[in-house]
Amino acid sequence: HDLARTAFAMCIQTALGALRSAQPELQRSLTAISNPALARRVSTRLLGEHPALGTVATMQCMTRPCTRIPRTQQQELEASVLGPEGCCRRQLPAAALSVVEQVECLLEQATDPVILGRTWPGWQPWF
C-alpha cells in the first residue's frame, strides 16, 4: 500500500510540476474559452494553493439555491475538509506550497474516510 501510494504521489507530482510550468498559457487559454473567475481559480491552485483551503473557498462560493449549504452544515464540512489536529492539512501554510506538499495534502484529503463518507445536497464531484 505504501509503495503504491509513493508511486502514485510521484506521478501526480510530475504532472502537477508540468502544469505549473505551463500555468501562464493555461490561464490565457481558460480566460479565452471560459470565464476569468475559473481561470483565476485554476491559476491559484497551480501556484501552490493549499488544496483543503481551496475546497473550503469553493464551498463558501456556492450561491446557487440548489448548492447552498446551511451555515451549521458548512462549518461542519469545513472542519472535516481541514482534517483533525496534527494532519498535514492543518500544518501546511495557506499558499506557496511546493509540489510535494500540495500532492501530499491532496492525497491525504482524497483518502480521508471522514470526507469520503460525506456528501450534501447539490454535491458536484466533477466541479
Side-chain angles (χ1 to χ4, degrees):
H1 180 261
D2 287 340
L3 184 59
R5 180 186 167 103
T6 301
F8 183 70
M10 289 174 62
C11 290
I12 298 299
Q13 289 166 10
T14 301
L16 183 58
L19 286 170
R20 279 191 180 184
S21 66
Q23 183 269 334
E25 294 81 17
L26 285 171
Q27 185 171 6
R28 280 193 297 278
S29 297
L30 281 172
T31 301
I33 64 170
S34 184
N35 65 54
L38 175 61
R40 281 191 302 277
R41 287 295 304 141
V42 170
S43 183
T44 300
R45 288 184 182 230
L46 288 176
L47 292 173
E49 176 187 50
H50 190 298
L53 295 177
T55 302
V56 168
T58 300
M59 288 189 317
Q60 291 170 344
C61 292
M62 291 182 182
T63 57
R64 294 181 306 196
C66 65
T67 58
R68 199 170 296 140
I69 303 168
R71 185 69 192 140
T72 54
Q73 219 178 359
Q74 185 173 346
Q75 290 170 334
E76 196 176 302
L77 287 169
E78 288 173 9
S80 297
V81 168
L82 294 173
E85 294 299 324
C87 71
C88 83
R89 288 174 280 166
R90 293 268 182 181
Q91 296 174 351
L92 293 173
L97 272 63
S98 71
V99 169
V100 172
E101 291 170 326
Q102 201 172 21
V103 168
E104 183 57 36
C105 189
L106 282 166
L107 288 174
E108 184 184 273
Q109 188 176 344
T111 58
D112 186 331
V114 173
I115 294 173
L116 292 171
R118 292 179 180 264
T119 61
W120 58 89
W123 181 54
Q124 299 173 344
W126 61 88
F127 180 64

